[in-house]
């Protein structure tokens, strides 16, 4: 069967219409190219085709006045509103914007649908009066109700005032251009008195469009060609044919050319594929395209039911496809431009909120890593950015002063533009953005062709807004300007280059009007995507819209239904994909069109064969547990780690999870360095340690400049009381140092709570020491060391290690640790470790069960199983061992001071009766040698300990 565009050409020829006098009016730009090719194919040679134009362009060309853009119209309406305001808290442009745009849409529809404004506004006011009236009320209307009613009284003056204002300026609106043309049809013949008009491929028409067509038909100068099918045209309740039936009724004809009977008689294969994710649909479509030849692709359409999936389908286009034409274009709002504009406005909001030009570090990092900036920077400039980021992390900077950053010339210039406050001068803001566009366009490298195209399209839209703002921009806040700015560019697209007549065609539904394809692949046919959820923003109630013939959601659904069914006319094959992923409300539902094809069309036409399938990407291979064999290279690396020094935390990590130990210490995968915005528990502990060290330092033995020893003095209750008074200042200095003197970072919010917690914890430690001294009068407390690093060497014999620099199989392991506090109380040496967490006595008790051979095996087993029992025993044993090796003194007591259980602290290591403090060195050496032997045992690879939690690396 002939395609619709070929039938149009045949109709023009059959009716002897002179090409010189014929104007063919169509609904879309895409249809023009197909019609021109149809004329060439009909004549088999180049010919001068009739004039072919879209209806929007035709009407605007016929208007004696230019159509004003939407933003300028909003400004004009605001000027009218200011001259005659309504006191309903809408006295600024910012609040006016919320309903001004809706009002413009309603005014436009009033004109386009030839509604009598006097009658509509009167009925609208009457409805609002009824809503405010009650049978049982004897009270007068409140002030708010009176203002509310006054607003509806103002709608007619606003409408008429805007009309007069635009007449004075000799401009018009699109709706007014339609109304005026319908009322002055003679304009169509000003250039050509013999003109004939062919209206082809229209569906949903406004009242002004129907009026135009009807007048031309009555004059014998109009021809209306439909592309319809008896299946839905003759079905009085089918939404796909409602507009065409209405057009025939208004023209007082039974039918218009061309209403054919294709859908009831044709053969068509329909495959419906349900996909578990949105993006997996692209894999289905891509697989189907691989099966098609070049000639088949010329008659194939990919219909994007959800145009947001365009980037997904582009990634899955097979390499074999040589030609593809994308009509929808790439929306700028789906590119990196969106994050760029968001960053620019977020900075301005920050400047206004804080009243200074300091920059939040995350915004600076986003700026430095944005594709636009990365496309500009040289290798040296990128290293410069890395150095700045290192400084930010090392100094824990939250806010930056870009003027103090040492930057290259180009970076300095970009920084100056991006991070310059606009100070509510929106034209200045536009000029700065334009300068940024110029720099980026100039400096972007050739390989960044997409980014350059985005910037150029964006720059063009920015010039349009600048011209509008220069003319008549009212005062507004940053939020309103941002909305205007985004509305100006967010609907712009970047056109893809392609042949509109050859190869695979990728289109949205509206671009398919008037076009036919043998093969249609519908991508993303979910309810809500097609038909779309057409929410109408209007101040006119739906029943009143219905009465005056204005569009309602029902009409909008009928519009899309016809566009979809029209594609079935010529299609012999159809592949439909939809997603069952419940990522948003309603998104997992297949479109109603799928069920209509299956339950209506296929039931009446057995030639339509439907197959259903569920797409699966196949079973993934089972992921094997990570196992790292201990090769000679790995063993040598472990020995390097051991020689460099091993601590309790490293031993604890190996016992808890060998694989975690391998990643963290053998491969040196450390924690990611980052700016700490909220004080973490580890940092809070460090701050408390720092303050306690400063408070107790004056009481430790020290040496003067000449090397003479100055003995420390005993700590008294009075000393501790004086220390308490110093705590707030010392904690404050610690926080200032951590936050690089940015007091705003910790004087409010979570960090201020942590500040108060730190003060309270330090004071609690001092109070506990005072209580102990008070309970033990006459006993002296001496501080022997604070944050004291102790270390020693242990000789290890291992058959696994072979180093030519070592003597035999023996090598030294350096063991080290930092003791928070070493003191002497009543002549007893004590080692105390501060903990911010809660500690109980059972966690510092050395014990074993009946089935455990000895105490070292009990400690090792508890560690491997992650048992909380004896959690701190090994750590305290190590401290006792290190102190003994350093001083020759066997520690009397070693314990944990918990900041959360102050009254019970310190919790001292409790040894069983069969273990004395003299046994500690041998006991610990056995534990160390057994652990290190396990590390170097080649028969046991590094694997995850199933009893411990997965770390970021193990997982």
């Amino acid at each position: 069967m002939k395609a619709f565009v070929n039938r149009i050409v045949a109709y023009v020829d059959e009716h002897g219409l002179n090409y010189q006098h014929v104007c063919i009016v169509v609904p879309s730009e895409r249809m023009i190219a197909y019609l021109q090719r149809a004329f060439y194919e009909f004549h088999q040679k180049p010919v001068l085709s009739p004039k072919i134009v879209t209806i929007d362009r035709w009407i605007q060309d016929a208007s004696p006045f230019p159509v004003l853009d939407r933003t300028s119209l909003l400004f004009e309406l605001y000027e009218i509103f200011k001259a005659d305001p309504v006191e309903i808290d809408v006295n600024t442009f910012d609040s006016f914007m919320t309903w001004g745009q809706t009002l413009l849409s309603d005014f436009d529809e009033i004109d386009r649908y030839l509604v009598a404004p006097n009658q509509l506004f009167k009925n609208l006011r009457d409805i609002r009066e009824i809503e405010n009236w009650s049978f049982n009320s004897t009270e007068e209307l409140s002030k708010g109700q009176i203002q509310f009613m006054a607003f509806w009284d103002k709608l007619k003056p606003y409408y008429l005032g805007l009309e007069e204002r635009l007449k004075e300026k000799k401009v018009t609106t699109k709706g007014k251009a339609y109304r005026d043309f319908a009322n002055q049809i003679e304009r169509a013949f000003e250039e050509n008195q013999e003109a004939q008009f062919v209206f082809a491929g229209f569906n949903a028409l406004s009242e002004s469009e129907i009026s135009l067509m009807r007048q031309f038909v009555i004059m014998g100068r109009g021809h209306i060609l439909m592309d319809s099918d008896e299946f839905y045209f003759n079905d009085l309740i089918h939404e796909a044919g409602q507009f065409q039936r209405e057009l025939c009724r208004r023209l007082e004809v039974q039918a218009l050319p061309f209403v054919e009977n294709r859908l009831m008689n044709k053969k068509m294969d329909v495959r419906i594929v349900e996909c578990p994710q949105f993006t997996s649909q692209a894999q289905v479509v891509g697989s189907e395209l691989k099966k098609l030849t070049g000639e088949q692709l010329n008659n194939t359409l990919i219909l994007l039911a959800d145009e947001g999936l365009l980037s997904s389908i582009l990634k899955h286009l097979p390499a074999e496809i040589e030609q593809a034409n994308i009509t929808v274009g790439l929306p700028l709002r789906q590119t990196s431009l969106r994050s760029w504009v968001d960053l620019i406005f977020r900075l301005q909001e920050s400047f206004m909120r804080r009243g200074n030009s300091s920059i939040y570090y995350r915004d600076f990092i986003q700026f430095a890593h944005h594709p636009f900036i990365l496309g500009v920077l040289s290798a040296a400039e990128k290293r410069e950015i890395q150095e700045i980021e290192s400084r930010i992390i090392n100094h824990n900077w939250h806010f930056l002063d870009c003027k103090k950053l040492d930057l290259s010339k180009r970076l300095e210039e970009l920084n100056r533009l991006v991070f310059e406050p606009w100070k509510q001068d929106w034209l200045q803001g536009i000029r700065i953005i334009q300068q940024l566009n110029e720099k980026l366009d100039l400096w972007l490298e050739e390989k960044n062709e997409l980014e350059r195209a985005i910037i150029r399209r964006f720059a063009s839209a920015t010039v349009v807004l600048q011209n509008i703002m220069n003319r008549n921009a009212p005062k507004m806040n940053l939020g309103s300007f941002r909305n205007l700015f985004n509305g100006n560019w967010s609907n712009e697209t970047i056109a893809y280059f392609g042949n509109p007549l050859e190869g695979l065609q990728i289109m949205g539904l509206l671009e398919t009007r008037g076009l036919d394809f043998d093969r249609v692949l519908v991508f993303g046919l979910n309810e809500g995507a097609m038909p779309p959820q057409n929410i109408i923003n209007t101040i006119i109630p739906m029943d009143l819209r219905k009465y005056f013939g204005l569009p309602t959601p029902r009409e909008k659904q009928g519009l899309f239904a016809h566009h979809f069914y029209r594609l079935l006319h010529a299609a012999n094959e159809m592949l439909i994909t939809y997603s069952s992923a419940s990522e948003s409300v309603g998104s997992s539902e297949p479109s109603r069109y799928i069920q209509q094809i299956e339950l209506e069309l296929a039931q009446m036409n057995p030639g339509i064969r439907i197959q259903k399938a569920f797409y699966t990407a196949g079973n993934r291979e089972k992921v094997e547990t990570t196992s790292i064999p201990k090769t000679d290279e790995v063993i040598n690396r472990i020995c390097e780690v051991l020689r460099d020094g091993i601590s309790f935390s490293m031993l604890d990590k190996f016992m808890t999870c060998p694989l975690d130990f391998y990643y963290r210490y053998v491969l040196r995968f450390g924690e990611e360095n980052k700016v700490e915005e909220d004080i973490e528990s580890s940092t809070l502990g460090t701050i408390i340690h720092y303050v306690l060290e400063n408070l107790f330092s004056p009481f430790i033995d020290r040496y003067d400049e000449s090397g003479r020893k100055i003995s420390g003095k005993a700590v008294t209750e009075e000393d501790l009381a004086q220390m308490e008074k110093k705590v707030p200042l010392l904690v404050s200095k610690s926080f200032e140092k951590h936050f690089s003197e940015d007091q705003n970072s910790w004087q409010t919010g979570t960090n201020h709570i942590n500040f108060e917690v730190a003060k309270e914890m330090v004071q609690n430690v001092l109070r506990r020491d005072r209580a102990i001294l008070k309970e033990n009068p006459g006993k002296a407390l001496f501080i022997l060391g604070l944050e004291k690093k102790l270390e020693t060497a242990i000789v290890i014999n291992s058959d696994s290690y072979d180093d030519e620099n070592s003597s035999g199989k023996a090598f030294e392991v350096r063991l080290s640790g930092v003791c928070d506090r070493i003191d002497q109380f009543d002549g007893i040496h004590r080692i105390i470790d501060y903990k911010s967490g809660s500690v109980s006595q059972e966690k510092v008790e050395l014990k074993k069960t009946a089935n455990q051979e000895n105490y070292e095996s009990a400690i090792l087993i508890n560690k491997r199983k992650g048992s909380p029992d004896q959690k701190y025993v090994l750590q305290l044993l190590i401290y006792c061992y290190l102190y003994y090796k350093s001083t020759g003194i066997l520690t009397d007591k070693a314990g944990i001071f918990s900041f959360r259980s102050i009254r019970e602290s310190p919790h001292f290591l409790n040894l069983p009766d069969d273990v004395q403090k003299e046994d500690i060195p041998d006991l610990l050496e056995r534990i160390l040698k057994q652990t290190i032997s396990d590390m170097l045992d080649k028969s046991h690879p590094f694997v995850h300990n199933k009893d411990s939690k997965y770390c970021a690396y193990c997982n």
Side-chain angles (χ1 to χ4, degrees), residues 180-228:
D180 291 344
F181 195 18
N183 293 330
Q184 301 174 41
I185 199 171
E186 63 275 6
R187 291 182 188 169
F189 304 100
E190 287 179 354
E191 294 182 2
N192 187 349
Q193 294 293 324
E194 301 180 39
Q196 294 274 345
F197 297 93
V198 177
F199 300 93
F202 287 94
N203 174 32
L205 296 167
S206 65
E207 184 65 27
S208 58
E209 291 167 320
I210 293 176
S211 175
L212 279 168
M213 293 181 187
R214 190 167 188 271
Q215 291 180 68
F216 283 123
V217 169
I218 292 173
M219 296 170 62
R221 299 292 189 92
H223 307 261
I224 302 175
L225 307 181
M226 296 193 308
D227 189 11
S228 191

Side-chain angles (χ1 to χ4, degrees), residues 544-672:
L544 200 59
R545 293 180 69 89
K546 181 77 174 174
Y547 176 78
F548 282 99
L550 296 173
T552 64
R554 169 68 180 171
E555 280 72 34
K556 296 257 183 176
Q557 291 171 7
L559 180 149
F560 285 95
H562 172 76
H563 293 329
F564 179 79
Y565 270 90
R566 202 203 59 74
L567 286 172
L568 304 181
H569 295 178
N572 299 319
E573 297 178 33
M574 178 171 275
L575 171 68
I576 298 174
T577 69
Y578 72 93
S579 170
S580 55
S582 54
E583 295 182 16
S584 62
V585 178
S587 66
S588 61
E589 294 295 324
S591 170
R592 69 190 72 173
Y593 299 154
I594 295 176
Q595 299 182 41
Q596 288 174 358
I597 293 173
E598 182 181 3
L599 301 178
E600 297 176 5
L601 185 56
Q603 297 297 321
M604 301 177 68
N605 180 2
I608 296 178
R609 297 176 295 276
I610 296 179
Q611 293 179 334
K612 286 187 171 184
F614 182 85
Y615 174 77
T616 175
N619 295 325
R620 296 182 177 179
E621 294 183 3
K622 184 179 179 180
V623 178
E624 298 294 334
T625 303
T626 303
S627 175
I628 308 296
K630 293 177 181 175
T631 63
D632 290 341
E633 292 80 3
V634 172
I635 292 294
N636 288 337
R637 173 70 189 119
I638 296 171
C639 291
E640 287 178 17
V641 172
L642 295 173
R643 280 202 310 270
D644 289 342
I646 191 167
S647 63
F648 161 72
S649 59
M650 296 171 72
L651 290 167
D652 184 61
K653 187 66 67 177
F654 176 78
M655 294 174 183
T656 306
C657 177
L659 188 59
D660 193 0
F661 171 85
Y662 171 76
Y663 285 125
R664 195 175 297 268
Y665 298 111
V666 179
L667 292 187
R668 296 177 181 172
F669 285 2
E671 296 287 342
E672 179 187 6

Side-chain angles (χ1 to χ4, degrees), residues 53-169:
V53 65
T54 63
I55 192 165
D56 266 350
R57 174 52 54 197
W58 178 56
I59 288 179
Q60 290 188 45
D61 288 346
S63 173
F65 305 120
V67 173
L68 201 59
D69 63 88
R70 191 60 174 260
T71 303
S72 297
L73 279 173
L74 190 66
F75 293 167
E76 296 293 343
L77 183 61
Y78 180 62
E79 292 300 317
I80 295 169
F81 167 77
K82 285 198 303 182
D84 189 14
V86 181
E87 297 298 329
I88 54 171
D89 299 325
V90 187
N91 299 317
T92 65
F93 180 77
D94 308 304
S95 51
F96 167 81
M97 270 189 69
T98 59
W99 57 269
Q101 292 175 328
T102 301
L103 202 58
L104 283 177
S105 295
D106 285 339
F107 287 174
D108 188 78
E109 286 186 335
I110 288 170
D111 288 326
R112 195 185 288 254
Y113 284 82
L114 305 182
V115 175
N118 291 340
Q119 185 179 354
L120 184 140
F121 291 129
K122 181 180 183 303
N123 289 349
L124 187 57
R125 189 187 188 285
D126 291 344
I127 290 173
R128 298 309 178 195
E129 281 185 341
I130 292 172
E131 289 176 353
N132 280 283
W133 179 73
S134 170
F135 282 105
N136 300 319
S137 177
T138 58
E139 299 178 2
E140 295 182 356
L141 293 177
S142 66
K143 181 180 178 181
Q145 288 174 316
I146 293 172
Q147 291 177 349
F148 182 72
M149 292 307 303
F151 170 74
W152 302 106
D153 283 336
K154 299 289 185 183
L155 292 183
K156 179 181 175 182
Y158 289 163
Y159 172 85
L160 297 176
L162 181 62
E163 184 177 43
E164 287 301 316
R165 189 177 180 89
L166 296 182
K167 278 183 180 179
E168 291 175 6
K169 296 192 172 187

